[in-house]
Amino acid sequence: MSPGERNNKITPEHLRKNAYLYIRQSTLHQVLENTESTRRQYELRQRAVVLGWPEERIGVIDSDLGQSGASAKDREGFQRLVGEVGTGRAGIVMGLEVSRLARNSSDWHRLLEICALSGTLILDEDGIYDPAHFNDRLLLGLKGTMSEAELHVLRARMLGGYMAKARRGELQLRLPVGFVYDAAGKVQFDPDRQVQDAVRTLFATFRRTGSQGRRPERSSSRACASRAAHRTVRAWAIWCGTS
């Protein structure tokens, strides 16, 4: 980031408003496993400090961790960000890359339009952009298109892998509670007697009450269990109350 870029695009008016850092990972698995990406996103906050924003006016929006960027519908954090920009409270919006903000062209271009109207800048790992300027908006639009195309390629690649495994008879889907895959990939009853007892009690209670809508008797003292990691025998059993 060159000093000229900072001087030309960041004005005192921008610095009087808030800076918002948007943080997102697509799945909870990524949140737990891709910790380096999450750490890099949080570190982007320091960029705003260097650019002149006081720490008390730098907001971090991370409520969408574990949410896909394919749509804004279920992303409370992104909707809040759009609201802050639309009401003129944001001087700059920061994200490690465009795909953190949106992987849907309509959501992305809507954000660009609102940023352009409210005079809000956008910052990513590569630089600072003013959506009100044609060249910057053209580049941001291209980045958004590439981000959406990348999502399509990833989905197609994943589906292709599933189909290839299915044709070989090797595809393993998530099993109902009480069943697991053994070392040979065959479906079997969960070897944990507590899991077996819990499932049997659940079905016995259902047969006795005769209704799925009624709360089973003594349910508060029982629990059901499932296994993480595709419910293999080696995975941990996760217990949850049924009441």
Side-chain angles (χ1 to χ4, degrees), residues 4 134 165 193 232 234:
F134 175 77
K165 283 187 174 182
R193 291 298 299 274
T232 59
R234 297 179 61 185

Side-chain angles (χ1 to χ4, degrees), residues 1-12 14-15 46-54 92 121 123 127-129:
M1 184 185 305
S2 66
E5 181 180 33
R6 173 181 173 180
N7 294 335
N8 289 335
K9 295 182 179 178
I10 299 178
T11 66
H14 291 124
L15 294 174
Q46 189 59 31
R47 292 274 292 276
V49 175
V50 173
L51 290 170
W53 271 272
I92 192 169
L121 302 176
L123 179 149
I128 302 174
Y129 312 92

Side-chain angles (χ1 to χ4, degrees), residues 52-148:
W53 271 272
E55 293 196 11
E56 63 270 16
R57 286 213 300 273
I58 302 174
V60 177
I61 300 177
D62 56 6
S63 56
D64 289 341
L65 282 170
Q67 294 284 343
S68 170
S71 172
K73 180 180 178 181
D74 299 319
R75 290 195 289 152
E76 179 184 345
F78 182 79
Q79 294 174 15
R80 176 194 163 196
L81 176 66
V82 172
E84 295 294 323
V85 174
T87 53
R89 291 194 289 266
I92 192 169
V93 170
M94 301 180 293
L96 189 64
E97 54 193 31
V98 166
S99 62
R100 298 303 96 197
L101 289 161
R103 281 192 180 274
N104 180 292
S105 287
S106 60
D107 294 335
W108 177 239
H109 285 282
R110 179 164 63 101
L111 178 62
L112 293 185
E113 182 69 25
I114 297 174
C115 285
L117 292 173
S118 62
T120 304
L121 302 176
I122 293 178
L123 179 149
D124 67 8
E125 198 172 29
D126 296 327
I128 302 174
Y129 312 92
D130 186 347
H133 292 173
F134 175 77
N135 287 338
D136 283 4
R137 186 158 180 170
L138 181 65
L139 179 55
L140 288 170
L142 181 60
K143 285 191 171 192
T145 300
M146 292 174 62
S147 177
E148 186 175 38

Side-chain angles (χ1 to χ4, degrees), residues 169-173 175 180-188 232-233:
E170 299 175 358
L171 181 62
Q172 292 187 351
L173 301 177
L175 296 173
V180 295
Y181 290 105
D182 61 17
K186 304 296 183 181
V187 178
Q188 66 174 32
T232 59
V233 176

Side-chain angles (χ1 to χ4, degrees), residues 20-27 30-31 34-48 58-67 75 94-102 123-125:
Y20 289 98
L21 171 60
Y22 181 78
I23 296 173
R24 184 184 65 80
Q25 291 275 41
S26 297
T27 64
Q30 290 182 355
V31 175
N34 299 348
T35 56
E36 181 64 22
S37 175
T38 305
R39 185 183 65 81
R40 289 175 59 213
Q41 292 186 64
Y42 278 107
E43 287 180 348
L44 204 61
R45 187 176 187 273
Q46 189 59 31
R47 292 274 292 276
I58 302 174
V60 177
I61 300 177
D62 56 6
S63 56
D64 289 341
L65 282 170
Q67 294 284 343
R75 290 195 289 152
M94 301 180 293
L96 189 64
E97 54 193 31
V98 166
S99 62
R100 298 303 96 197
L101 289 161
L123 179 149
D124 67 8
E125 198 172 29

